[in-house]
PDB file of all heavy atoms in Angstrom:
ATOM      1  N   ASP A 279       4.448   5.102 -23.970  1.00 96.00           N
ATOM      2  CA  ASP A 279       4.999   5.642 -25.212  1.00 96.00           C
ATOM      3  C   ASP A 279       6.003   4.687 -25.852  1.00 96.00           C
ATOM      4  O   ASP A 279       5.839   4.278 -27.002  1.00 96.00           O
ATOM      5  CB  ASP A 279       5.658   6.990 -24.933  1.00 96.00           C
ATOM      6  CG  ASP A 279       6.133   7.714 -26.174  1.00 96.00           C
ATOM      7  OD1 ASP A 279       5.777   7.322 -27.303  1.00 96.00           O
ATOM      8  OD2 ASP A 279       6.879   8.694 -26.015  1.00 96.00           O
ATOM      9  N   LEU A 280       7.022   4.319 -25.121  1.00 95.00           N
ATOM     10  CA  LEU A 280       8.154   3.609 -25.707  1.00 95.00           C
ATOM     11  C   LEU A 280       8.042   2.093 -25.705  1.00 95.00           C
ATOM     12  O   LEU A 280       8.661   1.433 -26.541  1.00 95.00           O
ATOM     13  CB  LEU A 280       9.444   4.008 -24.986  1.00 95.00           C
ATOM     14  CG  LEU A 280       9.788   5.492 -25.013  1.00 95.00           C
ATOM     15  CD1 LEU A 280      11.069   5.745 -24.236  1.00 95.00           C
ATOM     16  CD2 LEU A 280       9.896   6.005 -26.432  1.00 95.00           C
ATOM     17  N   TRP A 283       3.494   1.279 -26.896  1.00 95.00           N
ATOM     18  CA  TRP A 283       3.028   1.989 -28.092  1.00 95.00           C
ATOM     19  C   TRP A 283       1.556   2.372 -27.967  1.00 95.00           C
ATOM     20  O   TRP A 283       0.791   2.319 -28.922  1.00 95.00           O
ATOM     21  CB  TRP A 283       3.282   1.168 -29.356  1.00 95.00           C
ATOM     22  CG  TRP A 283       4.711   0.797 -29.507  1.00 95.00           C
ATOM     23  CD1 TRP A 283       5.767   1.635 -29.695  1.00 95.00           C
ATOM     24  CD2 TRP A 283       5.269  -0.516 -29.439  1.00 95.00           C
ATOM     25  NE1 TRP A 283       6.939   0.919 -29.756  1.00 95.00           N
ATOM     26  CE2 TRP A 283       6.666  -0.399 -29.604  1.00 95.00           C
ATOM     27  CE3 TRP A 283       4.716  -1.786 -29.252  1.00 95.00           C
ATOM     28  CZ2 TRP A 283       7.513  -1.497 -29.579  1.00 95.00           C
ATOM     29  CZ3 TRP A 283       5.563  -2.874 -29.228  1.00 95.00           C
ATOM     30  CH2 TRP A 283       6.937  -2.714 -29.394  1.00 95.00           C
ATOM     31  N   VAL A 285      -0.312   5.361 -27.603  1.00 94.00           N
ATOM     32  CA  VAL A 285      -0.165   6.809 -27.742  1.00 94.00           C
ATOM     33  C   VAL A 285      -1.188   7.554 -26.890  1.00 94.00           C
ATOM     34  O   VAL A 285      -0.861   8.565 -26.269  1.00 94.00           O
ATOM     35  CB  VAL A 285      -0.258   7.230 -29.230  1.00 94.00           C
ATOM     36  CG1 VAL A 285      -0.252   8.746 -29.374  1.00 94.00           C
ATOM     37  CG2 VAL A 285       0.871   6.606 -30.023  1.00 94.00           C
ATOM     38  N   ALA A 288      -0.017   7.433 -23.272  1.00 96.00           N
ATOM     39  CA  ALA A 288       1.181   8.272 -23.124  1.00 96.00           C
ATOM     40  C   ALA A 288       0.814   9.747 -23.174  1.00 96.00           C
ATOM     41  O   ALA A 288       1.284  10.539 -22.349  1.00 96.00           O
ATOM     42  CB  ALA A 288       2.194   7.935 -24.203  1.00 96.00           C
ATOM     43  N   TYR A 292       1.524  12.212 -20.080  1.00 96.00           N
ATOM     44  CA  TYR A 292       2.449  13.335 -20.266  1.00 96.00           C
ATOM     45  C   TYR A 292       1.751  14.666 -20.044  1.00 96.00           C
ATOM     46  O   TYR A 292       2.322  15.585 -19.474  1.00 96.00           O
ATOM     47  CB  TYR A 292       3.077  13.327 -21.661  1.00 96.00           C
ATOM     48  CG  TYR A 292       4.254  12.414 -21.819  1.00 96.00           C
ATOM     49  CD1 TYR A 292       4.314  11.524 -22.881  1.00 96.00           C
ATOM     50  CD2 TYR A 292       5.342  12.454 -20.943  1.00 96.00           C
ATOM     51  CE1 TYR A 292       5.412  10.693 -23.055  1.00 96.00           C
ATOM     52  CE2 TYR A 292       6.432  11.628 -21.105  1.00 96.00           C
ATOM     53  CZ  TYR A 292       6.459  10.746 -22.165  1.00 96.00           C
ATOM     54  OH  TYR A 292       7.539   9.930 -22.334  1.00 96.00           O
ATOM     55  N   TRP A 308       8.780  15.659 -25.229  1.00 92.00           N
ATOM     56  CA  TRP A 308       8.150  14.358 -25.522  1.00 92.00           C
ATOM     57  C   TRP A 308       6.662  14.534 -25.786  1.00 92.00           C
ATOM     58  O   TRP A 308       6.110  13.911 -26.687  1.00 92.00           O
ATOM     59  CB  TRP A 308       8.360  13.389 -24.373  1.00 92.00           C
ATOM     60  CG  TRP A 308       9.780  12.976 -24.144  1.00 92.00           C
ATOM     61  CD1 TRP A 308      10.818  13.012 -25.039  1.00 92.00           C
ATOM     62  CD2 TRP A 308      10.329  12.472 -22.935  1.00 92.00           C
ATOM     63  NE1 TRP A 308      11.962  12.562 -24.452  1.00 92.00           N
ATOM     64  CE2 TRP A 308      11.707  12.219 -23.159  1.00 92.00           C
ATOM     65  CE3 TRP A 308       9.813  12.213 -21.672  1.00 92.00           C
ATOM     66  CZ2 TRP A 308      12.546  11.703 -22.180  1.00 92.00           C
ATOM     67  CZ3 TRP A 308      10.640  11.702 -20.693  1.00 92.00           C
ATOM     68  CH2 TRP A 308      11.992  11.449 -20.953  1.00 92.00           C
ATOM     69  N   ALA A 310       5.197  17.244 -26.957  1.00 93.00           N
ATOM     70  CA  ALA A 310       5.055  17.878 -28.272  1.00 93.00           C
ATOM     71  C   ALA A 310       5.217  16.846 -29.382  1.00 93.00           C
ATOM     72  O   ALA A 310       4.476  16.867 -30.372  1.00 93.00           O
ATOM     73  CB  ALA A 310       6.080  19.001 -28.421  1.00 93.00           C
ATOM     74  N   ASP A 311       6.173  15.945 -29.224  1.00 92.00           N
ATOM     75  CA  ASP A 311       6.377  14.886 -30.217  1.00 92.00           C
ATOM     76  C   ASP A 311       5.158  13.989 -30.318  1.00 92.00           C
ATOM     77  O   ASP A 311       4.720  13.654 -31.425  1.00 92.00           O
ATOM     78  CB  ASP A 311       7.621  14.068 -29.852  1.00 92.00           C
ATOM     79  CG  ASP A 311       7.815  12.896 -30.794  1.00 92.00           C
ATOM     80  OD1 ASP A 311       8.041  13.140 -32.005  1.00 92.00           O
ATOM     81  OD2 ASP A 311       7.750  11.745 -30.326  1.00 92.00           O
ATOM     82  N   LEU A 312       4.586  13.620 -29.189  1.00 92.00           N
ATOM     83  CA  LEU A 312       3.385  12.782 -29.195  1.00 92.00           C
ATOM     84  C   LEU A 312       2.221  13.496 -29.878  1.00 92.00           C
ATOM     85  O   LEU A 312       1.476  12.874 -30.631  1.00 92.00           O
ATOM     86  CB  LEU A 312       2.982  12.423 -27.775  1.00 92.00           C
ATOM     87  CG  LEU A 312       3.581  11.158 -27.204  1.00 92.00           C
ATOM     88  CD1 LEU A 312       3.244  11.038 -25.733  1.00 92.00           C
ATOM     89  CD2 LEU A 312       3.084   9.942 -27.941  1.00 92.00           C
ATOM     90  N   ARG A 313       2.070  14.757 -29.574  1.00 92.00           N
ATOM     91  CA  ARG A 313       0.984  15.515 -30.211  1.00 92.00           C
ATOM     92  C   ARG A 313       1.168  15.560 -31.717  1.00 92.00           C
ATOM     93  O   ARG A 313       0.192  15.449 -32.469  1.00 92.00           O
ATOM     94  CB  ARG A 313       0.911  16.921 -29.641  1.00 92.00           C
ATOM     95  CG  ARG A 313       0.361  16.972 -28.244  1.00 92.00           C
ATOM     96  CD  ARG A 313       0.366  18.369 -27.685  1.00 92.00           C
ATOM     97  NE  ARG A 313      -0.301  18.421 -26.392  1.00 92.00           N
ATOM     98  CZ  ARG A 313      -0.067  19.350 -25.492  1.00 92.00           C
ATOM     99  NH1 ARG A 313       0.814  20.329 -25.729  1.00 92.00           N
ATOM    100  NH2 ARG A 313      -0.701  19.336 -24.339  1.00 92.00           N
ATOM    101  N   THR A 314       2.394  15.689 -32.171  1.00 92.00           N
ATOM    102  CA  THR A 314       2.691  15.687 -33.607  1.00 92.00           C
ATOM    103  C   THR A 314       2.327  14.326 -34.207  1.00 92.00           C
ATOM    104  O   THR A 314       1.677  14.254 -35.247  1.00 92.00           O
ATOM    105  CB  THR A 314       4.168  16.007 -33.872  1.00 92.00           C
ATOM    106  OG1 THR A 314       4.438  17.312 -33.364  1.00 92.00           O
ATOM    107  CG2 THR A 314       4.494  15.952 -35.341  1.00 92.00           C
ATOM    108  N   ARG A 315       2.741  13.274 -33.543  1.00 87.00           N
ATOM    109  CA  ARG A 315       2.440  11.929 -34.038  1.00 87.00           C
ATOM    110  C   ARG A 315       0.952  11.655 -34.053  1.00 87.00           C
ATOM    111  O   ARG A 315       0.442  10.954 -34.933  1.00 87.00           O
ATOM    112  CB  ARG A 315       3.133  10.869 -33.177  1.00 87.00           C
ATOM    113  CG  ARG A 315       4.606  10.769 -33.450  1.00 87.00           C
ATOM    114  CD  ARG A 315       5.207   9.571 -32.748  1.00 87.00           C
ATOM    115  NE  ARG A 315       5.622   9.939 -31.404  1.00 87.00           N
ATOM    116  CZ  ARG A 315       5.726   9.073 -30.398  1.00 87.00           C
ATOM    117  NH1 ARG A 315       5.448   7.819 -30.572  1.00 87.00           N
ATOM    118  NH2 ARG A 315       6.118   9.487 -29.213  1.00 87.00           N
ATOM    119  N   LYS A 316       0.249  12.205 -33.094  1.00 84.00           N
ATOM    120  CA  LYS A 316      -1.199  12.000 -32.989  1.00 84.00           C
ATOM    121  C   LYS A 316      -1.977  12.925 -33.935  1.00 84.00           C
ATOM    122  O   LYS A 316      -3.147  12.732 -34.173  1.00 84.00           O
ATOM    123  CB  LYS A 316      -1.628  12.222 -31.528  1.00 84.00           C
ATOM    124  CG  LYS A 316      -3.041  11.947 -31.205  1.00 84.00           C
ATOM    125  CD  LYS A 316      -3.319  10.492 -31.035  1.00 84.00           C
ATOM    126  CE  LYS A 316      -4.749  10.350 -30.581  1.00 84.00           C
ATOM    127  NZ  LYS A 316      -5.201   9.019 -30.554  1.00 84.00           N
ATOM    128  N   GLY A 317      -1.288  13.950 -34.484  1.00 84.00           N
ATOM    129  CA  GLY A 317      -1.943  14.869 -35.391  1.00 84.00           C
ATOM    130  C   GLY A 317      -2.707  15.962 -34.681  1.00 84.00           C
ATOM    131  O   GLY A 317      -3.670  16.508 -35.197  1.00 84.00           O
ATOM    132  N   ARG A 318      -2.272  16.324 -33.473  1.00 66.00           N
ATOM    133  CA  ARG A 318      -2.942  17.369 -32.706  1.00 66.00           C
ATOM    134  C   ARG A 318      -2.201  18.666 -32.821  1.00 66.00           C
ATOM    135  O   ARG A 318      -1.082  18.823 -32.698  1.00 66.00           O
ATOM    136  CB  ARG A 318      -3.016  16.988 -31.231  1.00 66.00           C
ATOM    137  CG  ARG A 318      -4.016  15.911 -30.952  1.00 66.00           C
ATOM    138  CD  ARG A 318      -3.890  15.542 -29.509  1.00 66.00           C
ATOM    139  NE  ARG A 318      -5.181  15.271 -28.908  1.00 66.00           N
ATOM    140  CZ  ARG A 318      -5.324  15.095 -27.625  1.00 66.00           C
ATOM    141  NH1 ARG A 318      -4.314  15.200 -26.820  1.00 66.00           N
ATOM    142  NH2 ARG A 318      -6.483  14.830 -27.127  1.00 66.00           N
TER     143      ARG A 318
END
Side-chain angles (χ1 to χ4, degrees):
D279 186 12
L280 301 179
W283 304 296
V285 174
Y292 278 130
W308 294 338
D311 176 64
L312 270 172
R313 287 177 174 156
T314 299
R315 285 189 272 155
K316 185 79 175 172
R318 287 175 142 189

